[in-house]
């Protein structure tokens, strides 16, 4: 399936402790870094068919509310959360006595909480952006004066703060309210509902999934935005006939993964547009949101570690999952993952614009010097936040691929993960290693911090740096 040389050779360095020069190890310098993100078209097509991604993309990209710009960002995130509710039902309904139901429950609770945190960040950003504030489809529950609509049987009326009437509406199509009434999942659902209450406290509205809503906020019209019935219509894979309980697990995990990849793609597009418009503060917020999405993708991939080894390897054979060549990573069969990886890397081209300088055609340190002034002067905080966020994205991206490599080895075994080849060379030339071992995407920012660190380590009083900045 994947050719991984995860036992990369230990590189020794002859650099003395007194030297401040860094050298790139020769084996890594010779690697072909041009295009590690590649896979066969047939493998990608089979992956998309298995997950029914064309149908899911139609749901993600459907514009039901033209005036609501945040729809394309929030909708796939809500789909991922709703799919997680279905995943909880699958896990708690698993009849296998050897399933680690206790750890599965903990992991899915944690996954749901992480997703709710990111959804809250998206909603908070919507309130801060004047162009998007007030455009979300909400249900203002305070306007009914405590009168229940006949067609809305899931509405509750109660009072807070004396005579204040609050009408709390719960989604009629989501699985979460149903999980709250099922004995096996009641405690899990309650924890998720309280997580929604806590994470959405800074948002202009709440999700309307049955959370307490103690502040009496308007509810998002969840059923109209998420359309849970349409989402759950694609809950079965084309290979649902395969007799293996891990089939539903694998299918559901990757549907959640792809939904967040779709959200990441939209956020990355928004980062570029906000940088181009000079909105560095909001672009920085999106940068840290993207970093958290990369971390969430790692958390989702880690769910493979809880799958039963024998059942999963049997499923791998049943689905005929195998490597096409010795250097192809299975994760690159996801076109969306390849796309957001490239988009994250391409953010490096925005650094000169952020710093207000042009690239020196002669290769001079113009960008590095501008970055040093930005860090030292501390007068343009929004720009500092933004370039820090861009480097945070790089770190999270590389950690994702490093972690994915380890997960793959644990789940399938090291030999199988290497594509059934015996590695005789010490060179770590697989595509995953190329990604997390390649040089920084932001060499000028890296050089600026290296210089400033060296300056302060020499015990300077700052006067020399001040004189240099005034030049």
């Amino acid at each position: 399936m994947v050719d991984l040389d995860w036992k990369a050779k230990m590189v020794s360095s002859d650099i003395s402790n007194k030297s401040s020069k860094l050298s790139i190890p020769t084996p890594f310098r010779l690697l072909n870094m041009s295009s590690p993100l590649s896979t066969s078209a047939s493998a990608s097509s089979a992956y998309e068919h298995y997950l029914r991604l064309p149908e899911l993309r139609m749901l993600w990209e459907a514009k039901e509310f033209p005036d609501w710009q945040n729809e394309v960002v929030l909708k796939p995130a809500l789909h991922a959360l709703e799919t997680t509710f279905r995943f909880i039902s699958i896990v708690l309904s698993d009849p296998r006595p050897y399933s680690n139901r206790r750890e599965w429950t903990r992991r899915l609770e944690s996954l749901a909480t992480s997703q709710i945190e990111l959804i809250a960040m998206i909603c908070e950003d919507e309130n801060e952006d004047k162009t998007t504030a007030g455009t979300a489809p909400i249900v203002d529950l305070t306007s009914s004066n405590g009168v229940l609509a006949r067609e809305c049987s899931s509405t509750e009326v109660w009072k807070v703060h004396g005579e204040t009437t609050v009408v709390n509406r719960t989604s009629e199509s989501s699985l979460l309210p149903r999980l709250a009434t099922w004995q096996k999942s009641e405690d899990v659902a309650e924890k998720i509902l309280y997580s929604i209450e806590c994470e959405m406290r800074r948002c202009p509205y709440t999700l309307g999934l049955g959370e307490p809503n103690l502040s009496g906020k308007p509810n998002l019209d969840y059923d109209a935005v998420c359309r849970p019935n349409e989402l759950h219509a694609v809950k079965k894979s084309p290979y649902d006939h395969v007799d293996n309980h891990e089939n539903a697990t694998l299918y559901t995990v990757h549907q959640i993964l792809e939904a967040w990849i779709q959200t990441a793609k939209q956020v990355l597009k928004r980062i570029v547009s906000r940088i181009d418009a000079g909105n560095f503060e909001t672009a920085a917020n999106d940068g840290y949101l993207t970093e958290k999405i990369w971390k969430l993708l790692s958390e989702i991939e880690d769910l493979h570690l809880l799958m039963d080894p024998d059942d999963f390897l049997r499923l791998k054979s049943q689905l005929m999952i195998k490597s096409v060549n010795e250097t192809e990573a299975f994760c690159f069969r996801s076109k969306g993952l390849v796309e957001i990886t490239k988009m994250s890397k391409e953010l490096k081209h925005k650094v000169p614009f952020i710093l207000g300088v042009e690239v020196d055609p002669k290769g001079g340190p113009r960008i590095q010097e501008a970055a040093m002034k930005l860090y030292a002067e501390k007068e343009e905080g929004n720009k500092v936040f933004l370039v820090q966020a861009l480097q945070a994205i790089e770190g999270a991206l590389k950690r994702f691929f490093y972690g994915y490599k380890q997960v793959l080895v644990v789940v399938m075994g090291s030999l199988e993960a290497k594509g059934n080849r015996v590695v005789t060379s010490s060179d770590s030339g697989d595509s995953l290693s190329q990604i997390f071992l390649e040089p920084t995407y932001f060499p000028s920012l890296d050089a600026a911090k290296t210089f400033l660190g060296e300056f302060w380590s020499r015990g300077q009083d700052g006067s020399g740096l001040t004189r240099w900045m005034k030049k």
Side-chain angles (χ1 to χ4, degrees):
M1 181 169 121
V2 177
D3 177 25
L4 290 175
D5 184 9
W6 90 293
K7 293 183 180 179
K9 79 175 221 174
M10 300 299 292
V11 181
S12 61
S13 174
D14 295 327
I15 303 174
S16 65
N17 293 333
K18 296 181 180 180
S19 173
S20 61
K21 295 181 179 180
L22 300 178
S23 62
I24 301 176
T26 303
F28 298 155
R29 196 181 293 152
L30 297 176
L31 288 176
N32 178 17
M33 299 290 188
S34 58
S35 181
L37 306 174
S38 61
T39 189
S40 67
S42 59
S44 293
S45 178
Y47 176 81
E48 295 205 353
H49 175 68
Y50 174 68
L51 296 179
R52 300 177 69 174
L53 284 183
E55 296 170 74
L56 286 173
R57 286 197 187 100
M58 290 181 63
L59 296 178
W60 296 334
E61 297 172 358
K63 289 287 293 181
E64 303 292 339
F65 309 95
D67 296 331
W68 187 33
Q69 297 180 17
N70 224 21
E71 180 181 5
V72 293
V73 180
L74 188 58
K75 183 183 289 185
L78 293 178
H79 281 179
L81 183 62
E82 184 65 32
T83 305
T84 304
F85 302 155
R86 187 174 80 231
F87 198 6
I88 293 171
S89 175
I90 292 172
V91 168
L92 296 182
S93 301
D94 191 341
R96 295 175 297 172
Y98 50 85
S99 176
N100 191 349
R101 190 172 290 105
R102 183 178 183 180
E103 185 60 27
W104 266 117
T105 301
R106 289 174 173 173
R107 292 289 184 100
L108 291 180
E109 285 178 347
S110 174
L111 178 64
T113 301
S114 298
Q115 293 179 85
I116 293 166
E117 179 185 357
L118 295 186
I119 289 170
M121 289 179 66
I122 296 171
C123 297
E124 286 178 43
D125 176 85
E126 179 180 314
N127 191 43
E128 294 173 0
D129 189 342
K130 295 180 180 179
T131 63
T132 59
T135 58
I138 61 173
V139 180
D140 187 0
L141 304 177
T142 60
S143 61
S144 64
N145 295 320
V147 179
L148 291 178
R150 291 180 179 273
E151 68 276 6
C152 193
S153 58
S154 57
T155 305
E156 300 175 351
V157 179
W158 39 280
K159 292 182 180 293
V160 294
H161 305 304
E163 298 301 320
T164 303
T165 301
V166 174
V167 183
N168 197 36
R169 181 178 176 181
T170 301
S171 166
E172 295 184 338
S173 301
S174 174
L175 290 180
L176 183 59
R178 303 178 193 181
L179 292 176
T181 62
W182 186 27
Q183 185 177 5
K184 288 185 177 181
S185 59
E186 182 180 4
D187 58 335
V188 179
E190 286 182 356
K191 185 173 182 179
I192 294 173
L193 289 171
Y194 286 121
S195 295
I196 295 173
E197 177 73 13
C198 293
E199 295 296 341
M200 298 294 290
R201 64 190 183 279
R202 298 190 186 95
C203 302
Y205 52 82
T206 189
L207 297 184
L209 289 173
E211 63 273 21
N213 191 16
L214 298 178
S215 57
K217 293 181 180 179
N219 284 183
L220 179 72
D221 197 345
Y222 184 90
D223 290 346
V225 175
C226 183
R227 296 184 177 273
N229 291 333
E230 295 182 11
L231 177 65
H232 295 311
V234 294
K235 67 180 180 180
K236 293 185 178 180
S237 79
Y239 298 92
D240 197 57
H241 60 278
V242 174
D243 185 18
N244 194 316
H245 284 287
E246 296 296 4
N247 189 26
T249 301
L250 183 68
Y251 176 74
T252 309
V253 165
H254 281 270
Q255 280 198 336
I256 296 171
L257 183 79
E258 289 294 332
W260 277 108
I261 287 174
Q262 176 70 14
T263 294
K265 182 168 68 173
Q266 299 300 327
V267 175
L268 284 163
K269 289 180 179 178
R270 197 166 68 180
I271 291 175
V272 173
S273 64
R274 286 178 167 178
I275 292 176
D276 291 342
N279 298 325
F280 299 132
E281 182 178 2
T282 54
N285 293 339
D286 277 344
Y288 285 115
L289 174 60
T290 304
E291 178 206 12
K292 286 182 174 291
I293 293 177
W294 275 111
K295 291 180 178 180
L296 177 64
L297 298 183
S298 297
E299 185 177 353
I300 296 170
E301 288 288 358
D302 285 348
L303 294 175
H304 290 88
L305 300 174
L306 294 181
M307 298 173 70
D308 180 75
D310 181 66
D311 287 351
F312 173 76
L313 294 173
R314 180 164 57 89
L315 175 65
K316 177 177 174 292
S317 176
Q318 290 172 314
L319 297 179
M320 295 182 290
I321 301 174
K322 57 183 179 180
S323 59
V324 178
N325 58 59
E326 293 184 347
T327 58
E328 175 199 291
F330 177 73
C331 63
F332 295 140
R333 301 183 185 191
S334 168
K335 294 179 180 178
L337 182 63
V338 171
E339 187 175 358
I340 66 170
T341 302
K342 291 180 178 178
M343 293 173 71
S344 296
K345 287 185 174 185
E346 290 302 309
L347 291 174
K348 62 185 177 183
H349 298 304
K350 295 297 178 182
V351 172
F353 178 78
I354 296 169
L355 298 177
V357 296
E358 295 182 357
V359 177
D360 190 340
K362 296 182 180 180
R366 187 181 297 170
I367 301 176
Q368 174 188 334
E369 292 175 354
M372 290 166 58
K373 287 185 178 181
L374 176 69
Y375 294 141
E377 291 177 348
K378 308 182 188 302
E379 294 178 356
E380 297 180 283
N382 290 339
K383 290 186 177 182
V384 175
F385 301 154
L386 178 54
V387 294
Q388 288 287 93
L390 297 185
Q391 289 190 290
I393 292 173
E394 177 190 2
L397 181 156
K398 290 183 176 180
R399 283 195 297 272
F400 169 81
F401 286 108
Y402 181 81
Y404 178 80
K405 188 173 183 179
Q406 313 314 314
V407 168
L408 202 58
V409 171
V410 172
V411 170
M412 298 193 306
S414 58
L415 183 61
E416 177 67 16
K418 294 171 185 174
N420 284 319
R421 66 168 181 149
V422 178
V423 181
T424 58
S425 170
S426 60
D427 181 22
S428 183
D430 62 273
S431 55
L432 291 174
S433 296
Q434 288 187 31
I435 291 178
F436 62 75
L437 292 176
E438 64 186 342
T440 177
Y441 307 151
F442 306 96
S444 296
L445 301 179
D446 180 73
K449 291 178 179 178
T450 301
F451 181 89
L452 287 175
E454 180 68 16
F455 177 85
W456 290 115
S457 68
R458 294 178 181 273
Q460 302 291 336
D461 60 1
S463 59
L465 186 63
T466 302
R467 288 194 300 271
W468 173 81
M469 288 191 298
K470 292 181 179 179
K471 291 181 179 180

